[in-house]
Structures are given as structure tokens and as C-alpha cells.
Amino acid sequence: MAKIAASSASASTSTTGKLVLRIKSNEGMKRSLRQTKSREETKANQNKSKQKIDAEKPKKPPTAFFYFFSFSFLREDFRKEYQQQNPDVKSMRDIGKACGEKWKTMTYEEKVQYYDIATEKRAEFDRATTEYNKKKQNGEYEDTDEESEYDE
DNA sequence: ACTCTGATTGTTTGG
DNA sequence: CCAAACAATCAGAGT
């Protein structure tokens, strides 16, 4: 069973985006991602731009898994226990793997909790995107859409 | 000392 | 539809 039916509670919301559930062998997924975010943060820090600029494109909200991930870190039990079980483990990646594995083993009901949070967050993100789009319409940025071509 | 990388899955977005 | 990118976390490792 363990089949993640697309008819999830979050799916009921039927947000603007279409939820395409496709479970494929993503084994070959590329993991070489460039987490340039660190640089952005550092850069921002150097810039002393503590205030976040809403004008920027809204960043992608953390997924359910990420919430679970962060939550696990908040849970001292998890970290402590894991460290006790794996004293050799430095920390990050290994725990991530464990989390991922556990995540897959988690039941739908367990995951739905995080999914719900992620769904709500997505709604806000969607709203932010809309507002961002609106702002763009004001002609605030260089982002010249292809549709901006109209006779004059 | 400061900055980056590393790994996990899910969601986003563009072509 | 497919593929690539990017979201947070923290400590280790490199310069």
C-alpha cells in the first residue's frame, strides 16, 4: 500500500497550482545543487540589508519534508538520540539521510501534518507571487515580459 | 576568522 | 510532460 494517493487533504484545497503527483524513479536526480543561498545571506549581511526586500521574488516556501527536517532538529530527542546511536556521525548529511528514510517510512497521516503546513505556506507564497506580479505590472523592474509589446 | 559545502525530499517554475 | 533549481538546517572543512 504505501501509495501516496493524490487525493490528499492538502490536495482538496486545489490551490491555483495543479498538483501533479508523479512517483518516478528519481534515483538519478542530480544532487549537485549549488546552495548559493549561503552567499546571498552573507552578501545581505555585508550589505547590512537586514530588512528583506519584498520586491524580490518570493522564495519558495519550505516543503513538508523541510518542516519535518527542521522539526526534527528542534526535537532534542531526535538529535541527541541520533548522536548517541551514531556518535561517529558528524551531523548534517547523515541525519538528513536518516530523516529522508524515516520520512518515507512515515505514514500518510503522519506526513499530512507537515503537508498541511506546507500547503498553507504555499497559499501565502502564491499570494506573494500574485502581489509580486502586480508590482511588476507597475513597471518597476527591468523584467520586460514578452507581453509588454503593444503598439503605441 | 570567515565562507562554503554537504544531503534529504518537496514544491516551483520554465521550456 | 520533463528536467533543473531551489527551499532550511548546522557543523565541519577549506582558504
Side-chain angles (χ1 to χ4, degrees):
Chain A
M1 283 203 213
K3 117 167 111 166
I4 314 295
S7 54
S8 56
S10 44
S12 293
T13 42
S14 82
T15 53
T16 57
K18 45 243 185 200
L19 218 81
V20 180
L21 254 295
R22 67 166 164 71
I23 304 181
K24 233 167 133 192
S25 338
N26 304 350
E27 296 178 12
M29 218 166 184
K30 283 188 180 177
R31 302 167 166 100
S32 40
L33 308 173
R34 36 177 84 97
Q35 287 93 344
T36 47
K37 64 174 168 59
S38 303
R39 305 178 99 177
E40 290 184 66
E41 287 180 6
T42 324
K43 191 155 89 172
N45 194 1
Q46 287 180 352
N47 245 358
K48 293 200 248 176
S49 300
K50 283 188 171 180
Q51 289 180 338
K52 52 189 135 179
I53 308 169
D54 290 303
E56 292 289 343
K57 293 199 272 189
K59 295 198 288 194
K60 301 188 286 195
T63 64
F65 174 69
F66 269 43
Y67 277 109
F68 167 68
F69 195 73
S70 311
F71 205 73
S72 297
F73 268 103
L74 292 177
R75 275 204 160 305
E76 297 179 2
D77 296 348
F78 191 89
R79 273 179 78 179
K80 193 193 276 186
E81 190 174 354
Y82 190 85
Q83 283 183 356
Q84 283 180 358
Q85 290 182 1
N86 306 288
D88 291 339
V89 164
K90 314 296 188 189
S91 270
M92 289 337 303
R93 305 115 18 117
D94 300 272
I95 290 182
K97 283 185 205 167
C99 277
E101 195 175 353
K102 189 183 176 89
W103 175 261
K104 286 184 179 177
T105 60
M106 280 169 74
T107 58
Y108 168 72
E109 292 181 0
E110 297 262 287
K111 290 198 277 194
V112 83
Q113 297 173 91
Y114 303 99
Y115 269 101
D116 185 45
I117 302 172
T119 306
E120 194 177 352
K121 215 69 185 166
R122 269 185 285 145
E124 194 178 351
F125 166 72
D126 184 24
R127 193 173 71 82
T129 306
T130 307
E131 196 173 348
Y132 168 71
N133 262 340
K134 193 195 286 183
K135 198 180 279 189
K136 229 164 67 162
Q137 277 190 359
N138 282 336
E140 210 170 303
Y141 292 106
E142 74 297 330
D143 199 333
T144 54
D145 276 276
E146 56 280 353
E147 58 171 307
S148 61
E149 200 104 31
Y150 43 73
D151 60 291
E152 90 173 71

